[in-house]
Amino acid sequence: MAPPPVTAHRSSRLVELHVENLAVLARATVLIGDGLTAVTGESGSGKSMLVTALQLLLGGRADTGAVRRNESETRVDARFEWEGGGGMSGETVVSRVVPVDGRSRAYIDGRPSTTAALAETVGRLLDLHGQHEQHRLATMSWRRSLLDGHCGVDTTVLDALRHQMVEISAEIAALGGSTTDRARELDLLTYQIEEIDRLDIDGPDEDTRIRSSIEQLGAVDDIRRRGGSAVELLDDDERLGAALRALDGLPGFDEEHSRLAGSIEDLRDLAASLRRTLEALDLDPSRLETEVQRLSALTDAKRKYGETLAEVLAFRDQAAERRDLLESHDERLGELDRRLAATTEEHRSESERVRCLRDEGARGLGELITQELRGLGMEHARIAVTVDGEDGSSVEFLFSSGPGERPRPVQRVASGGEAARCMLAIDLVHSRQTGPAHWPGTVVLDEVDSGLGGVAGTAVAEALRELASGRQVIAVTHMATVAAAADQQILVTKSVVASGADGEGMATSSVETVAGDSRVDELARMLAGRVDDTARGHARRLLRPASPTRRRGSG
């Protein structure tokens, strides 16, 4: 069942992810809960394969080189649960299959689909932030919507005025071009109307009646001969009269006598009717040529103005309306020009108002996002939101990582970790303004803590916890502080096993949810690179619920 648009969601979440034969992942099934989920593991363990699997569902390039050695295809399945407005809820299952040979295949709820439709469906439910995966930020409409939500811009009036301008301009164009063009069109319309009027068409079925008349005129001799013969035979009722006389007074045959008398009377009436019909028919052979010429004229009109006489008559009425419009051209054009000028001025004024709101809002939005970035360990980074165009509808998010660096569009210049943290900062700002109902239910962040440590890592962990309030967040991380802040932790480990008869080793990764002592051990490894009592002690302290702190930038 297809999910409703994101704006109609109350909630949605990724319930299950299944991956087969994707590089080091031979087979993995991951059950994902609510809140924040951390995906951890040593470098090279295969954590990124889970992100790659989700990229495939979002329409990413099907790289056959990622199909596991000695296997024929890679398969990714995901199950989402969602709730919409009006008590509507449902489940959506999506799949992507990448064969070694041939084209990839996509499925939605078990039915074949296009990759584009798959990406659109999954895009309503999941956002993936990482290197080269800034889907929303690369879309002008999304950037503009984000800014408008921040500064409270309502473009209903502006859009209505723009639509009116288009309609008035189209009507002006429909009136005709130059004076010479209008005169030429008027002459043509007048000629067409007069040509149809001269025909004086006697209804939409006149050609059908004429055809029937021509058939009669062409068979005049045969009609007269055979019709006259029928009358003579019906008039010759001597034998029937003799039969009637034979039955007259015959005991037991009164009914038959009465029926025969009635039949003879009916035949006489039929003969009289045939005679009257023959006398009424205009079977003058000289009319044939006239009727043929009339049918030819009607056929010529249909060739020019419509397939039927009804269409010819309709064409004439439309031509008359167009002629009347052109004849009143100057008066109507003046009225439309005045309306267009007034609407254009209203549109200019409204565009200026919206531009001012967007200009002012852009500065404030950029400052809020920059403040969040500094709380995420990017002390010298800056996001500037700029607008361009008459109404400020061209919106850019410009990123600079340090002083003296020229700001450029964030989706083009930020590294994987920087881009993920930029999106995290943007999500935090916007989430506080609109609430989670306006976003896909599942947010996936890859490399969000790349290159960070200490206080910055703790800030990222707190930011992820905040973002996960009201939605599902999955973070691929190498930081113990982020993993410890998660509601659920998924561990990816890699081992080498013998493969086939050649005995050649093959790397294989496994995926499991860790809890209790297993989670403590994994956090100890992340903290110290080893698992011992000291590292376990530090890990347990990380897992203890921390007192709420107010993050810088949380407002």
Side-chain angles (χ1 to χ4, degrees), residues 219-264:
V220 59
D221 292 337
D222 191 42
I223 290 173
R224 285 174 171 169
R225 177 178 60 78
R226 293 170 64 179
S229 176
V231 171
E232 289 177 4
L233 291 171
L234 290 172
D235 280 340
D236 185 10
D237 59 353
E238 182 58 34
R239 297 179 68 185
L240 292 176
L244 183 65
R245 290 191 294 275
L247 292 176
D248 188 19
L250 190 64
F253 288 89
D254 291 345
E255 182 182 351
E256 285 77 3
H257 180 273
S258 177
R259 288 174 60 189
L260 182 56
S263 297
I264 291 173

Side-chain angles (χ1 to χ4, degrees), residues 55-202:
Q55 287 172 342
L56 287 174
L57 295 179
L58 284 166
R61 179 174 173 270
D63 183 5
T64 58
V67 178
R68 187 170 172 81
R69 181 158 56 94
N70 300 329
E71 300 294 343
S72 59
E73 64 183 25
T74 290
R75 182 182 183 96
V76 179
D77 305 285
R79 179 164 61 93
F80 293 89
E81 292 178 352
W82 50 264
E83 292 183 9
M88 183 174 61
S89 63
E91 180 179 271
T92 299
V93 178
V94 293
S95 305
R96 182 91 181 270
V97 179
V98 181
V100 172
D101 298 314
R103 301 180 62 181
S104 71
R105 306 187 301 275
Y107 301 88
I108 300 175
D109 290 329
R111 296 175 177 269
S113 174
T114 63
T115 302
L118 176 71
E120 180 182 358
T121 297
V122 177
R124 300 180 196 175
L125 302 166
L126 180 145
D127 254 326
L128 194 157
H129 307 323
Q131 196 168 6
H132 311 306
E133 289 295 335
Q134 309 309 313
H135 297 291
R136 286 181 291 156
L137 199 54
T139 306
M140 176 66 72
S141 60
W142 183 87
R143 299 196 296 268
R144 185 166 53 244
S145 175
L146 179 67
L147 175 59
D148 287 351
H150 169 72
C151 54
V153 167
D154 183 353
T155 61
T156 302
V157 173
L158 186 64
D159 295 339
L161 289 170
R162 186 178 293 114
H163 181 68
Q164 289 176 30
M165 291 168 59
V166 171
E167 285 189 331
I168 296 171
S169 298
E171 193 170 349
I172 291 174
L175 285 176
S178 65
T179 302
T180 302
D181 291 338
R182 290 196 303 276
R184 186 180 297 113
E185 186 178 0
L186 270 171
D187 287 344
L188 177 60
L189 289 170
T190 300
Y191 170 80
Q192 292 171 330
I193 293 168
E194 291 177 352
E195 183 179 37
I196 296 173
D197 286 347
R198 281 195 300 271
L199 284 174
D200 192 20
I201 299 173
D202 185 19

Side-chain angles (χ1 to χ4, degrees), residues 246-454:
L247 292 176
D248 188 19
L250 190 64
F253 288 89
D254 291 345
E255 182 182 351
E256 285 77 3
H257 180 273
S258 177
R259 288 174 60 189
L260 182 56
S263 297
I264 291 173
E265 187 63 29
D266 288 343
L267 290 173
R268 287 173 180 168
D269 287 345
L270 179 59
S273 177
L274 281 173
R275 191 178 293 108
R276 288 192 298 272
T277 300
L278 287 172
E279 290 171 355
L281 287 174
D282 184 2
L283 298 176
D284 182 3
S286 64
R287 283 186 54 238
L288 179 60
E289 183 177 355
T290 301
E291 296 286 60
V292 169
Q293 291 176 352
R294 176 65 175 173
L295 183 61
S296 176
L298 295 177
T299 301
D300 186 58
K302 290 192 292 183
R303 179 180 58 81
K304 293 179 181 179
Y305 306 118
E307 295 183 358
T308 66
L309 290 183
E311 293 182 8
V312 173
L313 293 170
F315 178 91
R316 190 262 176 217
D317 292 341
Q318 293 168 2
E321 290 179 6
R322 176 64 176 167
R323 180 185 62 184
D324 294 343
L325 183 64
L326 289 176
E327 287 176 343
S328 61
H329 173 274
D330 292 342
E331 178 182 351
R332 179 61 176 162
L333 180 60
E335 177 188 348
L336 290 173
D337 281 341
R338 288 189 293 273
R339 282 180 55 196
L340 182 60
T343 305
T344 300
E345 177 57 26
E346 286 185 66
H347 181 268
R348 186 202 62 74
S349 177
E350 182 65 11
S351 293
E352 184 177 345
R353 186 187 73 84
V354 171
R355 169 68 186 253
C356 289
L357 288 174
R358 283 172 168 163
D359 261 331
E360 184 178 351
R363 289 190 293 272
L365 180 59
E367 290 171 1
L368 287 174
I369 297 171
T370 298
Q371 192 175 3
E372 289 294 336
L373 284 177
R374 289 172 180 169
L376 296 174
M378 300 174 73
E379 288 292 337
H380 304 291
R382 182 172 181 268
I383 288 282
V385 182
T386 65
V387 300
D388 198 5
E390 181 186 24
D391 57 2
S393 57
S394 178
V395 180
E396 284 290 353
F397 283 60
L398 304 179
F399 172 77
S400 60
S401 60
E405 182 179 328
R406 182 169 64 91
R408 297 179 61 192
V410 62
Q411 67 270 24
R412 298 181 185 173
V413 299
S415 66
E418 289 173 337
R421 287 196 290 281
C422 285
M423 288 306 303
L424 176 56
I426 291 170
D427 280 1
L428 285 168
V429 170
H430 194 69
S431 179
R432 296 190 191 111
Q433 295 171 344
T434 64
H438 293 267
W439 299 85
T442 300
V443 178
V444 181
L445 298 111
D446 187 22
E447 300 185 38
V448 68
D449 52 12
S450 176
L452 297 182

